[in-house]
Amino acid sequence: MRSLLFPFLLLLAVNAASQQADPYNYSPRKYMAATRFAVSSAHPMASEAGAAVMRQGGNAVDAAIATQLALAVVYPQAGNLGGGGFLVARLTDGRTLSIDYREKAPGKAHRDMYLDAAGNPVVRRSLDGHLAAGVPGTVAGLAASLPYGRLPLSKLVAPAIVLAEKGFAITEQEAAGLNRLQEAFIRLNTRPSAFVKAAPWKAGDTLIQKDLANTLRRIAKKGMKGFYEGETARLVAEEMQRGGGIITKADMAAYKAVLRKPVEFTFRGHTVISMPLPSSGGIGLQQMLGMVEDFPLEKYGFHSPEAVQRMIEAERRAYADRAQYLGDPDFVKVPVQQLTDRKYLQQRIADFTPGKPTPSTGVKAGGPFESMETTHLSVVDAEGNAVSVTTTLNGSYGNKVVVGGAGFLLNNEMDDFSVKPGAPNLYGLLGTEANAIAPGKRMLSCMTPTIVLKNNLPYLVTGTPGGSTIITSLFQTLVNDIVFGLDAKTTVNAPKFHHQWWPEDVLIEKAFPDSTRTALTNMGYNLKVSGPWSRTELIRILNGKIEAVGDWRGDDSVAGE
Ligand code: DON
């Protein structure tokens, strides 16, 4: 009997152990089929933290919170406490919601703060160092998400505290990122940080973040107050004073996340739920999908010159509207209704010429109308809740400033404002008055956490980082699945193309098909090989079968059961 039981017990033990990923020895899992729940995120340990919470009885919202907190530790390029983000959810009772925890301009910010005496933008000023940071929103966003979960915050912070306190082995991509920025970390920081070391970082090195562990403990104990008041807020204000920044204790205490009504629309019989302003993502996605909905794209074929050309032209027009009209809805009046009206979108694309580019110089914003480094995670649970979160520091490692004594990086999100009309930001995006800097205002974003329903049930849960390429990546993800019927892995991993009105070029990833490239070049498009860009996390649920995909482009990884 004993000899029969032993292998069985051993198998059980191995199974249990394999569910507890080892922080010193892990590798990404790019695809899985699950039956109960799944998480897809930028890092194996973060996806595992989310899955562990669901094994303990938490729901998808709990898992999304735990995954974000773990990302703040294991993925410092973009996971964060010192940045901001957006959450879109579809709950099992049919409710949809979006939470806006985008950073805000500090009270002392003003519209010309990144211009020199001659009125020209000083480019690095909105990107590097203390002045580039907006007031962080992430912890307020987690606190605003908490009522939709079921477990206490202390349980959700626990995996992140262990990872920060005991450390974890860094990946090759992380080592490369940290090495690339050693000089910047030294130059821009006022205190030593965990990210700087004498010898170059290499894959497998352990990263320990004691100050960050203490900040996480304060959050576990006091929730929002553990971050926006008391010790953490004091450390942020002191860091700002030492480094010439402008965020004050009062800015921290005043920060609030906002519950907003998601963008919702239909596309080819599916319901798309996405992020409203101050993200341009949901509106942009609705515009692009709306412009191509009536084209027989599937007849032209996946990646055919005809299909790609029509999609590029839709991207061009949506980005022209974005530059002109979109900004923080708490500050500017945006004609959302008109911009997303079905008739308007049909007319908007009606002037396109098959086989020929429409020069961007000729594509002004529609209307006029009256009056007026990021990371994504997707989660589904066994009850039918679906959560889609994109969160960011903006550039890789944000403004590269670690808050002395608190151990977390700050964002450089101020660069997402239009620092001057006509001056491109980090992603080459242009803007106008609608996205000018003002105290307390939220900068426009492209982040597009999205959920697609089929037959009124969650079908796709998806999103991606990638700055201006976010919306076009999401556009292609949805078209790949809904129009071309590609399988989940190909939907994520197929090469992409990107156009954003200005500049005139069309970017393509290296593996984009040569024949289509030649055909588009012959039509007069200026194609440039770039990337790889964006890292799409996709969960697809069909007939009770859950498929989770992590993008091949990074350390992205899935977990679940
Ligand atoms: O909010 C935005 O649109 C940008 N700050 C996102 C930045 C981003 O995706 C960087 N990742 N590659």
Side-chain angles (χ1 to χ4, degrees):
M1 184 66 192
R2 205 176 147 196
S3 62
L4 277 178
L5 253 182
F6 181 71
F8 177 67
L9 291 178
L10 187 70
L11 195 72
L12 276 185
V14 168
N15 252 338
S18 68
Q19 290 182 351
Q20 299 294 316
D22 175 353
Y24 307 104
N25 184 17
Y26 59 86
S27 51
R29 183 175 186 183
K30 293 293 181 191
Y31 174 84
M32 74 180 296
T35 52
R36 296 185 57 224
F37 54 77
V39 185
S40 178
S41 86
H43 196 283
M45 295 310 302
S47 294
E48 185 50 42
V53 154
M54 289 196 276
R55 270 179 218 120
Q56 289 165 32
N59 67 11
V61 177
D62 293 310
I65 295 172
T67 303
Q68 285 173 84
L69 287 160
L71 283 169
V73 180
V74 297
Y75 190 55
Q77 297 170 38
N80 67 83
L81 298 181
F86 300 127
L87 174 146
V88 170
R90 208 274 186 163
L91 304 177
T92 185
D93 62 10
R95 269 182 301 162
T96 58
L97 64 116
S98 72
I99 302 176
D100 164 7
Y101 42 107
R102 183 69 163 164
E103 300 91 328
K104 290 177 89 158
K108 291 199 185 112
H110 57 92
R111 62 175 291 150
D112 297 337
M113 63 188 280
Y114 301 113
L115 304 184
D116 64 15
N120 298 315
V122 184
V123 175
R124 297 308 307 180
R125 204 185 278 170
S126 59
L127 288 170
D128 293 339
H130 298 67
L131 213 52
V135 184
T138 293
V139 177
L142 302 183
S145 312
L146 205 57
Y148 302 95
R150 157 178 323 141
L151 297 183
L153 184 60
S154 55
K155 270 216 160 131
L156 309 179
V157 187
I161 295 177
V162 175
L163 288 164
E165 181 74 38
K166 301 224 154 62
F168 64 97
I170 63 167
T171 65
E172 201 171 324
Q173 288 210 5
E174 191 63 56
L178 290 172
N179 287 335
R180 188 164 43 80
L181 288 177
Q182 287 296 286
E183 177 279 326
F185 284 137
I186 294 165
R187 175 167 47 87
L188 297 168
N189 277 283
T190 65
R191 292 284 184 271
S193 85
F195 303 126
V196 173
K197 81 179 178 71
W201 290 96
K202 54 185 185 339
D205 282 352
T206 302
L207 176 61
I208 292 176
Q209 301 171 81
K210 297 267 186 203
D211 287 344
L212 181 58
N214 287 332
T215 300
L216 288 164
R217 279 196 193 94
R218 287 193 289 277
I219 294 170
K221 217 164 142 192
K222 297 192 180 141
M224 257 195 82
K225 289 193 171 164
F227 187 81
Y228 291 98
E229 295 174 24
E231 170 103 0
T232 316
R234 180 178 62 78
L235 291 169
V236 169
E238 286 174 8
E239 180 62 55
M240 286 287 139
Q241 270 162 14
R242 283 196 300 274
I246 54 174
I247 299 176
T248 60
K249 277 208 274 191
D251 285 325
M252 292 291 284
Y255 188 88
K256 299 266 179 307
V258 185
L259 211 61
R260 299 196 190 269
K261 192 176 159 346
V263 166
E264 290 196 32
F265 59 95
T266 57
F267 175 72
R268 301 256 187 129
H270 297 69
T271 302
V272 181
I273 305 159
S274 193
M275 193 63 207
L277 292 168
S279 176
S280 59
I283 293 172
L285 193 60
Q286 182 172 5
Q287 288 196 305
M288 290 175 199
L289 288 169
M291 282 188 254
V292 301
E293 187 161 16
D294 296 337
F295 289 133
L297 296 180
E298 59 276 58
K299 200 184 99 204
Y300 300 137
F302 175 62
H303 276 171
S304 64
E306 292 85 354
V308 173
Q309 194 214 347
R310 280 154 182 82
M311 291 173 73
I312 292 170
E313 292 301 331
E315 293 176 358
R316 186 191 312 272
R317 286 156 177 80
Y319 269 96
D321 284 357
R322 178 193 193 275
Q324 179 65 33
Y325 290 113
L326 305 193
D328 182 348
D330 295 342
F331 280 71
V332 290
K333 237 180 148 153
V334 181
V336 177
Q337 208 63 46
Q338 292 95 320
L339 287 169
T340 53
D341 178 74
R342 204 171 148 65
K343 281 224 165 60
Y344 167 72
L345 294 174
Q346 284 167 339
Q347 281 161 13
R348 189 82 176 101
I349 195 74
D351 66 352
F352 117 94
T353 316
K356 240 179 98 179
T358 314
S360 283
T361 41
V363 178
K364 300 288 176 247
F369 298 115
E370 292 260 330
S371 77
M372 137 141 232
E373 213 138 72
T374 309
T375 186
H376 180 83
L377 54 116
S378 293
V379 190
V380 298
D381 66 21
E383 294 149 45
N385 296 299
V387 181
S388 187
V389 175
T390 314
T391 158
T392 186
L393 287 168
N394 192 26
S396 209
Y397 303 92
N399 70 350
K400 281 80 89 187
V401 174
V402 180
V403 175
F408 61 88
L409 281 157
L410 287 168
N411 65 84
N412 56 359
E413 221 74 57
M414 291 296 282
D415 189 68
D416 273 351
F417 278 118
S418 177
V419 302
K420 186 184 175 180
N425 77 356
L426 177 62
Y427 304 101
L429 291 169
L430 302 182
T432 54
E433 193 53 41
N435 191 30
I437 303 171
K441 189 174 174 184
R442 289 170 151 96
M443 52 298 277
L444 190 59
S445 172
C446 287
M447 294 188 288
T448 316
T450 297
I451 296 170
V452 177
L453 309 182
K454 190 174 186 153
N455 303 326
N456 209 27
L457 286 174
Y459 170 57
L460 303 177
V461 186
T462 187
T464 181
S468 58
T469 65
I470 292 174
I471 313 175
T472 56
S473 294
L474 257 287
F475 175 39
Q476 288 163 60
T477 300
L478 266 52
V479 168
N480 288 355
D481 182 283
I482 297 171
V483 176
F484 294 114
L486 303 184
D487 66 67
K489 274 188 265 186
T490 314
T491 287
V492 168
N493 295 327
K496 299 201 193 82
F497 51 93
H498 170 74
H499 176 64
Q500 61 180 51
W501 174 58
W502 202 261
E504 190 82 58
D505 311 324
V506 177
L507 303 184
I508 50 170
E509 285 186 313
K510 213 165 144 200
F512 191 78
D514 275 342
S515 54
T516 304
R517 187 180 170 178
T518 308
L520 289 166
T521 307
N522 290 341
M523 289 181 200
Y525 287 90
N526 188 23
L527 269 58
K528 281 192 174 157
V529 176
S530 178
W533 65 79
S534 82
R535 290 159 58 164
T536 304
E537 317 299 358
L538 178 75
I539 296 180
R540 188 164 94 156
I541 313 151
L542 198 55
N543 304 327
K545 183 184 164 203
I546 302 170
E547 288 180 281
V549 185
D551 202 313
W552 71 269
R553 296 166 178 86
D555 295 323
D556 307 53
S557 185
V558 300
E561 267 184 32

